[in-house]
Amino acid sequence: MANALLGGFLIFLLRLGDVPISTVRTMLMVQGRRWPVAFLAVCESAIWVVAISRVLSGNTLNEPIKIAGYAIGFATGTVVGMAIEGWLAFGKVIVRVISSKSVELRAKLHEDGFGVTAIPAEGMDGPVYVLFVVALRRRQKQLLRDIQEIDPQAFITREQVTEAINGFIEPHPMTGGGH
């Protein structure tokens, strides 16, 4: 029984290793980072081969602890991978804001180092501006806080950016703002 538990726990740990690697690899792949993706793919597949060979060794149907270790390791690894990817916050996002408070909003965003492009538009209740902000993903929480502080009613959409060329994105070394 102790060997079965140890085996199941080892499989769990292996899955806890390869699944987060898979999550981070996928995010890097979407951003087109070939070499880190290749390295992580080698690590991930090597760990997976060891894990699956442990699951399939012996009579797996008589050792459900192996299947449980595999499944629970996969689920836990998925959550851990999502947390790691969130902490790393690779890449950039584009945030679109529709607001009638564009003057105050642009001033606050500029003050905090975000570049803003504003386009006048017509909303349901009259004139509004559509603001476009491309920002480092690790700064998106601050960006969203700034927007909601000035205009809690602003309509906001955001999505991942696979590539951004030129513009006002990177933090300025002296002010923490963009340049």
Side-chain angles (χ1 to χ4, degrees):
M1 182 66 173
N3 277 347
L5 285 173
L6 188 59
F9 186 65
L10 175 62
I11 292 165
F12 169 83
L13 290 177
L14 289 166
R15 294 302 289 169
L16 195 56
D18 79 300
V19 176
I21 291 172
S22 174
T23 303
V24 172
R25 179 187 54 80
T26 301
M27 292 306 297
L28 290 172
M29 187 170 56
V30 168
Q31 295 175 9
R33 298 182 182 193
R34 287 182 179 91
W35 295 111
V37 165
F39 173 75
L40 291 174
V42 169
C43 296
E44 175 191 349
S45 61
I47 295 169
W48 182 85
V49 167
V50 173
I52 198 67
S53 68
R54 299 286 304 181
V55 170
L56 298 176
S57 67
N59 187 352
T60 303
L61 294 177
N62 290 336
E63 298 180 80
I65 194 77
K66 289 181 175 181
I67 296 169
Y70 188 89
I72 295 168
F74 181 81
T76 306
T78 300
V79 172
V80 169
M82 290 171 66
I84 290 170
E85 196 282 326
W87 293 327
L88 295 174
F90 293 124
K92 298 172 184 72
V93 292
I94 183 165
V95 175
R96 285 176 295 276
V97 183
I98 298 175
S99 173
S100 59
K101 299 182 179 180
S102 66
V103 173
E104 302 92 344
L105 197 48
R106 286 179 71 193
K108 174 66 173 165
L109 296 178
H110 283 153
E111 177 185 312
D112 285 351
F114 294 103
V116 181
T117 299
I119 300 171
E122 276 299 313
M124 197 163 137
D125 297 326
V128 294
Y129 274 79
V130 179
L131 307 176
F132 294 90
V133 182
V134 176
L136 296 173
R137 200 168 138 239
R138 68 177 172 260
R139 296 192 68 211
Q140 75 179 326
K141 286 181 184 175
Q142 178 189 2
L143 172 60
L144 295 173
R145 271 194 312 268
D146 285 354
I147 294 166
Q148 291 174 330
E149 176 185 312
I150 300 295
D151 187 358
Q153 302 304 313
F155 178 72
I156 304 167
T157 61
R158 64 188 166 111
E159 35 185 290
Q160 291 287 114
V161 172
T162 54
E163 184 175 17
I165 301 168
N166 297 323
F168 194 83
I169 301 167
E170 296 296 321
H172 188 277
M174 298 300 288
T175 64
H179 87 294

